Amino acid sequence: MNNFGIRVDKKENTGDYTLSLISESITPWENDLVSHDATSREYVIVNVPKAGTLKETILAEGKDYTKIKNLKLTGETDANDFYFMRDEMPLLRAINLKDIKIKAFGNQEDELFACREDQIPRYAFADKSTLISLILPDKLKSIGNCAFQNCTSITGSLIIPEGVTDIVACAFFECRSLDGVLSLPSTLLSIGDDAFYCCGFTSELSIPENVEYIGLGAFDGCRYLYGSLRLPDKLKTIGRYAFDGCTGLTGSLEIPKGVVNIPDYAFRSCGFNGNLILHNNINILGSGAFENCHFKGE
């Protein structure tokens, strides 16, 4: 963002104006990988000194949290802060979590309600239809169950930061307006059930080399993903319907040696038009696993 200081001088005799450049500087935008449409990307910046106190911090600064549209957080948060943003900030459109630290919350032995350190909590922004822009924390390690489920207005690209090891079930379920690039980190090990079900990404799908698990319906209905699909050598599990309806995936497909079960409808209606390469240790070939594909050759 270029900033200019301009001096405006009016000539008394003619009424004309002259403009003089007196200063200039460059300030980088936040790296949110989306265009900045003037005021819609001017963040209200709130530093949260202690996890769980976001609401109190905003009130202490004299701000009306019900009117905040674009929020950038620094400091630390926990699950309570996420549920506050989801349930009590009705106009929230953009959330920048780049510099936030997420603290563990709840009884860690109770996986249903607990949130791990550096994990987006389960249902953090579920059904938050106002949300259109998202920047995830740099220090993130995990995205919890249904964290952004049915956030149908989030647009643009989704950049999962390096350090994330697991994307839990339904994390971005039905985020149909995510219409840019899907970028997955090299540290990723697991993609949960329905993690990206019916998302609208329009990019090549590149699955990192360390991924061992791709869950049921993980990319089901992601018909705008395109290019050749290379499954990582370390992959051990592919869930049912994992790539069902990914019509934009083309070329050949090779099943890694660690995958011995190919479940029902795993690759149904994909656009493959090259070779299908199977190894000799496959135990199960499920119903409709390659239904309506268009492989050629032996």
Side-chain angles (χ1 to χ4, degrees):
M1 182 173 63
N2 292 314
N3 307 287
F4 301 99
I6 305 292
R7 187 177 70 242
V8 181
D9 296 305
K10 182 179 180 181
K11 297 181 179 179
E12 292 185 1
N13 295 333
T14 63
D16 293 336
Y17 293 88
T18 60
L19 305 180
S20 303
L21 178 67
I22 59 173
S23 66
E24 60 179 311
S25 63
I26 297 176
T27 303
W29 279 108
E30 287 293 340
N31 184 27
D32 60 5
L33 298 180
V34 295
S35 61
H36 293 276
D37 49 343
T39 58
S40 72
R41 290 294 181 271
E42 291 178 358
Y43 293 106
V44 173
I45 301 175
V46 177
N47 179 60
V48 188
K50 182 180 179 181
T53 65
L54 174 58
K55 182 176 182 178
E56 292 80 359
T57 302
I58 294 176
L59 289 173
E61 294 182 1
K63 297 181 174 69
D64 183 351
Y65 57 79
T66 66
K67 295 181 180 179
I68 294 176
K69 294 181 178 180
N70 309 303
L71 180 65
K72 177 178 179 179
L73 297 181
T74 60
E76 59 182 41
T77 60
D78 64 16
N80 281 326
D81 296 318
F82 282 91
Y83 301 144
F84 161 70
M85 288 186 282
R86 182 192 67 191
D87 299 334
E88 299 189 48
M89 299 184 70
L91 301 183
L92 189 62
R93 300 173 67 231
I95 180 68
N96 184 335
L97 303 170
K98 186 178 189 297
D99 299 317
I100 203 70
K101 169 72 175 176
I102 302 174
K103 306 294 287 186
F105 179 82
N107 183 354
Q108 297 305 299
E109 295 180 359
D110 184 356
E111 294 185 2
L112 184 60
F113 297 103
C115 173
R116 305 199 310 263
E117 189 96 352
D118 297 318
Q119 180 184 51
I120 300 287
R122 56 188 287 115
Y123 297 100
F125 288 101
D127 303 310
K128 187 72 171 174
S129 60
T130 60
L131 198 62
I132 64 172
S133 177
L134 169 69
I135 303 175
L136 294 170
D138 283 348
K139 297 179 180 179
L140 194 64
K141 294 180 180 177
S142 174
I143 300 174
N145 188 12
C146 304
F148 299 94
Q149 173 181 283
N150 292 326
C151 287
T152 53
S153 299
I154 298 180
T155 62
S157 298
L158 178 62
I159 312 300
I160 309 293
E162 285 294 318
V164 171
T165 58
D166 61 304
I167 301 169
V168 187
C170 299
F172 295 93
F173 183 90
E174 290 272 17
C175 291
R176 295 175 180 269
S177 295
L178 279 171
D179 55 1
V181 173
L182 172 61
S183 177
L184 300 173
S186 64
T187 51
L188 191 62
L189 303 177
S190 173
I191 303 173
D193 298 348
D194 292 321
F196 299 106
Y197 177 83
C198 281
C199 287
F201 301 112
T202 54
S203 65
E204 292 192 57
L205 177 58
S206 178
I207 299 178
E209 287 297 321
N210 290 315
V211 171
E212 299 178 355
Y213 179 89
I214 299 175
L216 179 152
F219 296 96
D220 187 356
C222 293
R223 57 197 178 105
Y224 302 113
L225 289 171
Y226 60 83
S228 298
L229 175 63
R230 185 188 181 282
L231 297 174
D233 293 337
K234 294 181 180 180
L235 188 64
K236 298 177 181 177
T237 301
I238 301 173
R240 288 180 298 143
Y241 305 96
F243 297 94
D244 188 9
C246 291
T247 55
L249 298 178
T250 58
S252 299
L253 177 67
E254 181 173 359
I255 303 300
K257 289 182 170 54
V259 176
V260 296
N261 297 330
I262 303 175
D264 300 347
Y265 309 109
F267 299 95
R268 178 172 61 177
S269 296
C270 286
F272 300 122
N273 53 6
N275 295 319
L276 173 61
I277 304 169
L278 305 174
H279 59 82
N280 292 328
N281 295 321
I282 292 175
N283 296 325
I284 296 174
L285 185 57
S287 298
F290 301 105
E291 180 182 328
N292 200 30
C293 290
H294 306 281
F295 292 110
K296 299 175 182 178
E298 296 183 3

